[in-house]
Amino acid sequence: RVDSGDEGGGRGRGILERAAALVAESKGEIFCGRPDGVGHDGKEDGKMALQVVPRRPQSEDAGSPRSSDFVGWAPKLLTDGEVRSTAETEETSGDQFPKDIILRIACEVAVTDLVQMASVCRWWRTVINGSEGEVLWQELWNRRHGPHCVVNGYEGIGLPCSATPFCRPPLGWRHEFMAAFYLSRGRAFRKRRLAGHTSDVGNVRVCAERTKLVSTAPNSGELIVWDIKCGTPEVSFQVSNVYIVGETNNKKLILVSNSSPLSRFYSLDPIAGCLRELFAVNSSFLATGAPCLRLLSIVHGDKIVLARKDTNEVMVFDTEEGHCIGCFGGHNAMVEALTSTREGHIVTYSASGEIIWWNIPEGSILRRRISRVRVWGGRLTATTAGNLLAWGRGNVLWVLDAETGEPLRGVDCELEVHVGNIGIYATVDGQKVVLLFYPNPLIVDIPCGKVLADLEISRPSCATTSPDSSILLTGSEDGLIQMWLLQTGELLRSINTRAKVRSIWCAGDSVVAGLDTGDILVYTFSL
């Protein structure tokens, strides 16, 4: 029996008709069903009775199967005992219902119905939720998010931590799809409060395949690694003014401690709980980058890339031993912006308007262009669509061609804001971009070249996107965590934390927020 999901069994009947057409093409037999209409208690129960019946002979020019070609609706009404015995038979002999047919039927139903299908019997659960079903969940993911979507590809500081997409999420397509579904459709949530810091929690990051949580309190110099499942601290360190820069390919976090005149870089293994200093540089000669870090640095694969302001050089360091791989010169003016592209290249922008594409770690210059757009405050980022985004004079967001650096289009935001308050959050498909600043955060539609939505956020303090980049999550000084649908700018939900939100991170169906009280809130959503 299959729940039809609507009154009268119309949708369930359609599912059975499509299933019959599929089997008729491949197996020479069809599955027929009939709305029970009247259950055993005399009331309509909206169930379907399934039977295997011989296929009706068709003429050679009959074409594709039609509902009229099937052997009518089965007159026999299955009893509960017969349904139970059928399920037991399927558990012992899965060949009676081929797995490819189950997967093709599953592609046609809603997600809520798919969850119910997985509970029909042991064989169905194995096919849908097991390794065989990864093809199904990947197909559903591509339908919803697009085949080129990067999972966990961006972090909430306006710079991509890894622009290289990967084929399969670490926890599998089913886990990633259901997590995104719960985050966008979930009505209920479970809240946990983690207490361990004595000052503002400036950074939170879920890592190690979502088993560890790393949090920092720069003011008090506290660095704590948590077991996110148990909610208990595993190890803590004392590092002054520490921030998270990014994550390497081998799942280690790179942190920086900004203490004048030196900035010290560290490597943290969250699984082993080991913190190791890599190298130190003179921070007074580094360009201004992300406002929370106060230096221009990104993690590029297993390398750390810095931009020197005094010598206009690009420096590359190894993340394992902290060795300097090379210093490369090419700009004739101060380097003001640094980002990485989807092809794995580094892009730098200088005060003279010169854009250089670098091949790292060789340090060779791939191409050099002079752009007519003047980038303000180092606000330059790249999208996986292949374009560059730059914030220019006159409060205009420019879309630059990735090959020539020439402006393709400009979006006039018509707002007078200080450049230091702007954060650019690019979505992975490059179609939407978020400009986060006080007092009017905006969602900009890149292809149309217009402002899509003006978000009503009072005093925004931090932001990030969901792993599939379909939802924007923002935190504010008013203590609100708000979730916005990036396609339309619709407010999905608002949660009052009753404290100032200093940092936020999204991992699957969980949202982690760091508060000014030193506490960390973990929200897990469900249906």
Side-chain angles (χ1 to χ4, degrees), residues 200-261:
D200 297 17
V201 182
N203 288 125
V204 289
R205 174 71 67 91
V206 178
C207 54
E209 296 187 356
R210 300 175 184 169
T211 60
K212 306 296 180 183
L213 168 64
V214 178
S215 60
T216 67
N219 294 336
S220 59
E222 297 166 344
L223 169 63
I224 302 179
V225 179
W226 307 77
D227 186 317
I228 195 170
K229 184 177 181 180
C230 302
T232 56
E234 293 187 338
V235 62
S236 62
F237 305 93
Q238 196 69 28
V239 184
S240 62
N241 203 22
V242 62
Y243 294 92
I244 300 175
V245 180
E247 186 174 359
T248 65
N249 290 340
N250 54 3
K251 308 303 180 183
K252 294 182 180 179
L253 292 184
I254 301 300
L255 304 97
V256 60
S257 173
N258 293 323
S259 300
S260 182

Side-chain angles (χ1 to χ4, degrees), residues 14 76 95-96 111 173 223-224 314 391 437:
K76 181 180 180 181
D95 295 337
Q96 291 189 6
V111 179
W173 289 107
L223 169 63
I224 302 179
V314 174
W391 181 258
F437 46 79

